[in-house]
Amino acid sequence: MASSGGVIVGLGELLWDLLPTGRQLGGAPFNFAFHCHQLGHASRVVSRVGDDDLGRDIRQRLAALGLSDEFVQHDQGRPTGTVAVALDARGQPTFTITPEVAYDYLAWDDSLESLFRQARAVCFGTLIQRTPRARETVRHALRAAGHAVIVYDVNLRQDYYSRETIEASLHASRWVKLNDGELQVLRGLLGLGAQSDSASLADLRHRYRVELACLTYGERGCRVQTEAEEVEVPGERVEVVDTVGAGDAFTAGLLAYTLEGHSLQKAARFANRLAARVAAAAGGTPRIDRAEVERA
């Protein structure tokens, strides 16, 4: 069951993941928007690509997936983003991200103002904020979408983050999602309480006035915490192909189920199953039947 109302927006990098098996369309905000769309929710991607073959291929791929490129800007002078992805024996990725690409110069305009004012939810991360111009565009977008469920998916990559950017993002958000490795970084960077993961999430929520904090453990499941409750869901057993995009699918599943009015327990369980299905396939955007995930 899809929800009615405004659109869900994935705000940030749109790029090609250059995997050992070939290239796959990626970027965390795109992966998120794709999975929301696949789950039956109207979704848009806001990004910027180059005037090159890779950019034209992205537009064709979006159309094939049923996603609009209306808010994918065109950059005449900079290339479309790419990321070299190496996988270890467990399918865990290491990313080498190309600098100075089109999405680094995402620009604010009137069409974006209208989109974000109508958005039901927005998901963004840290990488898109590595340049001043794109960072300012993100802040404009979050101010315009003040009524929406704003989800900060921390997604720390290489050294493209700072305490200032992370704290500004947390202050602007209603939800935060991170993995256990990122929690360790934030404990050191922000001085979070480290007695337990639960205590760290509570500290994060209270300090930055975040309504929901979600911590993912990969194959070991997840922990989702609000002021009213905390839910732990064990991992799903699957044969991992690669984990690219699994966290983005998790965020999409958790948000979609929550917007539909499901309990936090059901939303976390569904999100966990969806992420496991993605990890069992190549790339971050495999076709997945929602009903099969729900029956699992």
Side-chain angles (χ1 to χ4, degrees):
M1 178 188 71
S3 61
S4 59
V7 297
I8 296 172
V9 180
L11 167 63
E13 60 273 16
L14 176 58
L15 49 82
W16 288 106
D17 284 324
L18 307 179
L19 291 146
T21 53
R23 75 181 188 190
Q24 295 272 358
L25 188 55
F30 158 72
N31 294 338
F32 163 83
F34 167 80
H35 286 292
C36 288
H37 168 74
Q38 188 165 235
L39 293 171
H41 291 260
S43 305
R44 296 290 184 273
V45 182
V46 173
S47 192
R48 190 176 180 97
V49 299
D51 181 21
D52 51 21
D53 288 343
L54 291 178
R56 286 183 281 276
D57 287 352
I58 279 180
R59 294 185 188 278
Q60 291 176 4
R61 181 68 177 140
L62 287 175
L65 293 170
L67 286 165
S68 170
D69 69 349
E70 180 182 358
F71 301 102
V72 177
Q73 298 173 0
H74 186 87
D75 195 302
Q76 292 278 7
R78 300 173 187 90
T80 297
T82 55
V83 176
V85 184
L87 302 173
D88 68 15
R90 298 183 300 121
Q92 296 292 325
T94 300
F95 302 99
T96 304
I97 303 168
T98 306
E100 287 293 309
V101 295
Y103 65 73
D104 288 317
Y105 293 87
L106 183 64
W108 186 248
D109 61 30
D110 290 343
S111 70
L112 293 184
E113 179 86 31
S114 177
L115 174 70
F116 282 99
R117 287 197 181 282
Q118 298 173 48
R120 190 173 193 198
V122 177
C123 183
F124 74 106
T126 310
L127 178 60
I128 187 61
Q129 301 182 75
R130 67 180 175 174
T131 64
R133 180 169 177 177
R135 186 162 58 246
E136 187 58 31
T137 297
V138 168
R139 290 177 183 178
H140 271 297
L142 301 183
R143 285 194 293 269
H147 66 286
V149 178
I150 296 177
V151 183
Y152 177 39
D153 191 348
V154 176
N155 264 336
L156 301 181
R157 296 288 181 260
Q158 295 175 204
D159 59 352
Y160 295 125
Y161 61 89
S162 68
R163 176 172 181 156
E164 178 187 6
T165 296
I166 291 169
E167 290 201 308
S169 300
L170 288 165
H171 280 301
S173 301
R174 290 172 59 184
W175 288 20
V176 60
K177 178 256 178 186
L178 68 168
N179 63 34
D180 50 347
E182 289 160 348
L183 180 60
Q184 292 298 331
V185 174
L186 263 57
R187 278 173 170 155
L189 200 62
L190 307 180
L192 297 176
Q195 306 95 310
S196 66
D197 289 352
S198 182
S200 294
L201 293 185
D203 193 2
L204 198 60
R205 284 191 307 99
H206 295 148
R207 190 184 305 186
Y208 299 101
R209 299 184 180 180
V210 174
E211 295 172 11
L212 179 148
C214 177
L215 179 62
T216 58
Y217 298 105
E219 71 277 7
R220 294 183 291 113
C222 68
R223 180 188 304 271
V224 186
Q225 183 188 92
T226 67
E227 189 65 27
E229 63 181 315
E230 180 173 284
V231 168
E232 288 185 75
V233 178
E236 297 280 322
R237 288 186 174 274
V238 295
E239 181 125 3
V240 173
V241 174
D242 69 61
T243 62
V244 175
D248 310 321
F250 181 96
T251 308
L254 187 71
L255 178 71
Y257 248 51
T258 300
L259 291 178
E260 292 167 16
H262 295 282
S263 70
L264 192 63
Q265 179 76 42
K266 285 185 177 179
R269 189 182 304 122
F270 175 80
N272 214 45
R273 288 173 179 166
L274 181 62
R277 291 296 183 93
V278 172
T285 54
R287 294 283 191 179
I288 293 173
D289 185 334
R290 171 177 175 151
E292 288 184 7
V293 180
E294 289 173 329
R295 286 195 297 267

